[in-house]
Amino acid sequence: MRGKHKNIFLIGPMGAGKSSVGKYLAAQLDMDFFDTDEEIEKRTGVDIGWIFDVEGELGFCKREEAVVSELASLSNIILATGGGTILSPESRAILHNHGAVVYLEVSLRYQEARTINDSRRPLLRVQNRQEVLEKLQGERELLYEEIADFRVLTDKKNVRVVADEIIQWLAAE
């Protein structure tokens, strides 16, 4: 991998499969894998929900910006970003300038199914989950599309199939 593709950044909404695909892809391409949420939890010693409760979404986003900036300066990595990472203009610019940005798309139907039993997602600890997912999609979809070098719809696909599509795209680049 060379030039712009020294790193691969996976963006997309929660439930798109960024962490699962990223781990598999890293193993296939012999790259290091990082997940922004895991890195934040490792560095703070607390889970994401606690950070949201204490610092709010803004506090979490500041931590996320710092992690993205630091990890993007590395080489030969795959980074699974949080669904809201692209809300930060700084993070969007960093991702765009330091690697290939792959947008893992997921329909609302599949996103709901994949996140239904996941209590670790602070933005979904509400009664109106479907409304929240629709609102987030409306706020973020154009930002994902704006910085994506490649897009993969993950509905009805397993991790291997999604990773293989990304590998084929990289080989053609």
Side-chain angles (χ1 to χ4, degrees), residues 9-98:
F9 304 119
L10 302 178
I11 64 169
M14 60 183 102
K18 299 180 299 286
S19 296
S20 300
V21 170
K23 288 174 188 170
Y24 182 84
L25 196 57
Q28 297 303 304
L29 297 175
D30 194 27
M31 297 175 78
D32 295 320
F33 173 76
F34 296 92
D35 179 295
T36 56
D37 287 352
E38 288 177 9
E39 284 298 309
I40 292 168
E41 288 180 342
K42 194 183 323 177
R43 293 168 188 212
T44 61
V46 297
D47 68 25
I48 299 301
W50 189 88
I51 295 170
F52 264 76
D53 290 344
V54 173
E55 299 179 5
E57 190 172 1
L58 185 60
F60 173 77
C61 290
K62 293 243 179 269
R63 290 181 182 277
E64 189 174 53
E65 275 181 11
V67 166
V68 167
S69 178
E70 181 185 324
L71 294 175
S73 69
L74 302 174
S75 290
N76 202 45
I77 71 158
I78 294 178
L79 177 63
T81 64
T85 299
I86 47 81
L87 294 173
S88 159
E90 293 83 6
S91 292
R92 286 197 309 275
I94 289 167
L95 295 174
H96 177 73
N97 292 322
H98 288 88

